[in-house]
């Protein structure tokens, strides 16, 4: 579970990017964080993780105030996957092993290696384990970074545009894995995403941010013609196809 | 080694076993170069004579030559190569820039300015041009001035990193600007120097492994040893830091403290080394690059491998400096540049050619 209360953020000498946001995402939910470019979605993820310091407000991760937690404790509770990752000259195994960093004191334990191998298997990366990440495709690399997050054994996972540079197959693959983490493992997953149809296909909660404030929050009912018109400035139809809600731009 | 060759390993244990084997080979190479460097000279010692003398056996004359003349020089090479290489290796991680090393941050030009100041203003110049070891009249004031001035660029960069929160690339640019500033200052001092003082400055900037005493070697060894322990404690952090600052924070690292703390330790290590032996280019830059190609970016292995590669490179440069125009000894700083630059170009060339 993750909860934000009156969360505000601004960069030095600039207008607020996030303005008094309050919301709560329960355990096992898969939340799509939606909004136009510059709405503050990525900033919100970094604030939730404590990567950016809050100007005002508080974040509770699994009931704990993150201001009272050390970085290592936060990393054991919450994993964050960046938009792009520029690791190089490390094998897939080495990168996933980084996920154990919050737990490592002196050296690796058998538990560490077992967790890394489980994460690799879960993401079907076992055959790539000893390949350099430089050799991988964008989709494979994204899965490696998700496996690294999984190796942190988090209760909350924050994904910043994980599908933005992927082909259609890998977009669905990454979203399916994320959905599975929420539904099967009970992890609270928040994903920043621009593809509304992909979000509607896999996510069960939708938080819409506009100009640093919450426009709406709830299940798929919040995706409406009015919302699309107001937030994205597009004229679109919201309809159903084979039981799934979809958005079609007019 | 082409990076795809790692696929030949059956499992991760075998893969790390390969890295340990590389470390053992590097250690053996370093040990061989240590003995070869001690043996090389007009006394005509064999490797066996050297081994015996190091262990305190053999004839007294050999023991005297080895312990009083050869070992301080070789110990200086080992300590300096080790220190400069690990400092370069860590700086490349915390600044996330493959070009980072002590000279990039302005440490070497700062030290050169301090040494020039000490020679010209404080009169720490060459004692006697006929002195075979070319010792300085006041080596400690020279070393202290070189050290203090080499710390100035680091202090400025740390101020910018910690208080102004500038990005790693801006830190490198600041280092380049400060290097230019100190080079300008050195040029002005040289302009007003006498011929003897100018000779002293030039001699100091050449770099020398033979002007250090056991006491100075000990100072360098203690600083380098303490720095290496600090770096080893943070070995996981340096690997993670290559993923970027946000990812590192998300993985539980206090990046601000790590970057500032590591930069202080790197600069101290490089500054102490440079203060005692002068400017040695390329060791901190290329040693990590050479071993990185073989064992990758995992700092658990990269740190000790860089240390051994740096040591081997400096020992090899020392051997070359004494062999090329024997019995004339060429400046070690020039040799490290002559060895380092082509190797570095080859590394860049092979990497670019692959992509």
């Amino acid at each position: 579970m993750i909860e934000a209360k009156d969360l505000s953020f601004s960069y030095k000498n600039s207008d607020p990017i996030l303005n008094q946001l309050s919301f709560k995402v329960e355990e096992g939910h898969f939340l799509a964080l939606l909004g136009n470019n510059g709405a503050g979605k990525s900033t919100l993820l970094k604030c939730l993780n404590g990567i950016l310091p809050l100007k005002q407000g508080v974040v509770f991760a699994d009931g704990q105030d993150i201001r009272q937690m050390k970085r290592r404790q936060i990393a054991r509770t919450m994993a964050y996957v960046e938009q792009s990752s520029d690791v190089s000259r490390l094998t897939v195994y080495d990168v996933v092993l980084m996920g154990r960093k919050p737990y490592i004191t002196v050296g690796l334990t058998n538990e560490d290696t077992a967790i890394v191998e489980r994460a690799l298997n879960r993401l079907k990366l076992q055959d790539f384990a000893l390949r350099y990440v430089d050799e991988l495709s964008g989709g494979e690399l994204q899965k490696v970074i998700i496996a690294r997050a999984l190796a942190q054994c988090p209760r909350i996972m924050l994904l910043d545009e994980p599908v933005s540079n992927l082909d259609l197959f890998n977009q669905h693959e990454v979203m399916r894995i994320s959905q599975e983490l929420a539904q099967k493992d009970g992890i609270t997953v928040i994903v920043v995403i621009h593809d509304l149809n992909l979000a509607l296909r896999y996510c069960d909660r939708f938080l819409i941010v506009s100009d640093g404030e919450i426009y709406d929050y709830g299940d798929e009912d919040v995706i409406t013609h009015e919302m699309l018109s107001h937030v994205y400035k597009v004229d679109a139809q919201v309809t159903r196809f084979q039981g799934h809600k979809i958005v079609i731009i007019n | 080694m082409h990076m795809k060759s790692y696929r030949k390993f059956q499992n991760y244990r075998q893969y790390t076993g390969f890295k340990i084997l590389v470390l053992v080979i590097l250690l053996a190479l370093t040990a061989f170069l240590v003995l070869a460097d001690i043996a090389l000279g007009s006394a005509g010692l064999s490797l066996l004579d050297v081994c015996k003398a190091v262990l305190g056996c053999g004839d007294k004359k050999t023991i005297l030559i080895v312990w009083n003349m050869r070992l301080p020089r070789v110990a200086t090479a080992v300590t300096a190569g080790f220190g400069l290489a690990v400092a370069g290796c860590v700086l490349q991680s915390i600044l996330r820039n493959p070009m980072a090393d002590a000279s990039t941050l302005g440490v070497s030009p700062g030290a050169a300015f301090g040494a020039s100041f000490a020679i010209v203003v404080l009169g720490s110049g060459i004692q006697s041009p006929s002195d075979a070891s070319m010792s300085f009249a006041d080596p400690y004031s020279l070393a202290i001035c070189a050290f203090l001035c080499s710390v100035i660029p680091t202090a400025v960069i740390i101020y910018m990193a910690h208080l102004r929160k500038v990005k790693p690339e801006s830190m490198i640019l600041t280092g380049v600007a400060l290097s230019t500033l100190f080079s300008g200052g050195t040029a002005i001092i040289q302009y007003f120097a006498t011929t003897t003082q100018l000779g002293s400055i030039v001699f100091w900037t050449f770099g020398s492994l033979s002007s250090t005493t056991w006491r100075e070697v000990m100072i360098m060894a203690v600083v380098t040893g303490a720095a290496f322990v600090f770096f080893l404690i943070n070995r996981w952090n340096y690997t993670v830091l290559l993923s970027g600052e946000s990812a590192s924070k998300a993985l539980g690292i206090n990046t601000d403290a790590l970057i500032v703390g590591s930069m202080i330790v790197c600069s101290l290590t490089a500054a102490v080394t440079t203060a005692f032996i002068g400017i040695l280019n390329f060791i901190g830059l290329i040693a990590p690059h050479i071993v990185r190609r073989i064992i990758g970016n995992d700092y658990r292995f990269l740190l000790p491998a860089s240390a051994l590669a740096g040591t081997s490179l400096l020992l090899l440069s020392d051997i070359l400096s004494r062999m090329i125009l024997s019995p004339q000894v060429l400046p070690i700083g020039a040799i490290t540049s002559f060895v380092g630059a082509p190797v570095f170009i080859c590394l860049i060339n092979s990497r670019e050619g692959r992509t």
Side-chain angles (χ1 to χ4, degrees), chain A residues 71 89 94 101 106 135, chain B residues 7 12 235 237 249 297:
Chain A
R71 281 242 57 93
R89 286 203 170 276
D94 289 323
K101 174 68 193 65
V106 181
E135 297 176 52
Chain B
R7 289 180 194 176
Y12 191 69
R235 63 199 184 283
N237 295 339
K249 281 182 180 173
N297 259 330

Side-chain angles (χ1 to χ4, degrees), chain A residues 64-186:
Chain A
Q64 283 181 281
D65 182 347
I66 65 161
R67 292 172 304 180
Q68 313 299 326
M69 297 165 80
K70 291 185 175 168
R71 281 242 57 93
R72 182 182 274 253
Q73 275 179 285
I74 296 174
R76 287 178 180 192
T77 313
M78 216 182 321
Y80 167 77
V81 174
E82 270 190 298
Q83 272 182 39
S84 62
S85 189
D86 54 356
V87 281
S88 66
R89 286 203 170 276
L90 285 168
T91 61
V92 168
Y93 196 106
D94 289 323
V95 174
V96 179
L97 195 57
M98 282 184 197
R100 299 306 297 160
K101 174 68 193 65
Y103 300 88
I104 294 168
T105 47
V106 181
L108 288 178
T109 62
N110 289 337
E111 191 193 357
D112 291 324
T113 48
I115 288 169
V116 167
E117 273 155 29
R118 270 208 302 275
L120 286 166
N121 291 340
R122 182 83 182 262
L123 275 293
K124 298 188 178 71
L125 291 167
Q126 61 273 35
D127 294 338
F128 298 81
L130 295 180
R131 268 208 217 172
Y132 266 134
V133 285
D134 315 53
E135 297 176 52
L136 304 180
S137 69
E140 288 163 344
L141 180 61
Q142 200 62 50
K143 283 201 267 185
V144 173
I145 303 299
I146 292 172
R148 181 180 74 185
L150 207 56
Q152 287 176 247
C153 299
R155 299 303 310 145
I156 300 153
M157 202 178 271
L158 312 173
L159 310 169
D160 194 358
E161 294 189 42
V163 296
S164 55
N165 296 315
L166 305 186
D167 60 31
L168 203 57
F169 174 80
N170 280 304
Q171 286 180 20
H172 282 270
E173 182 75 350
V174 167
M175 290 300 280
R176 186 193 56 76
I177 292 163
S178 306
Q179 187 190 46
E180 193 181 285
L181 292 173
Q183 291 178 350
K184 285 192 181 168
D185 298 48

Side-chain angles (χ1 to χ4, degrees), chain A residues 3 18 20 36 47 91 125 129 169 195 202-203 206:
Chain A
E3 184 178 9
L18 302 174
Q20 294 193 308
N36 55 344
C47 287
T91 61
L125 291 167
F169 174 80
D195 188 331
Y202 291 97
C203 299
F206 303 85

Side-chain angles (χ1 to χ4, degrees), chain B residues 289-339:
Chain B
H289 279 290
I290 292 171
V291 288
R292 186 175 278 125
R293 291 181 62 80
I294 304 168
I295 58 172
N297 259 330
D298 185 342
Y299 271 70
R300 287 178 297 163
F301 302 98
L302 186 61
L303 269 173
S306 297
L308 292 169
T311 308
S312 297
L313 270 174
L314 195 49
L315 286 166
L316 185 67
S317 301
D318 188 37
I319 290 169
L320 289 175
S321 77
R322 293 196 287 150
M323 275 178 67
I324 292 171
L325 290 178
S326 177
Q328 194 80 22
V329 179
L330 294 173
I332 186 74
I335 299 296
T336 58
S337 297
F338 268 114
V339 172

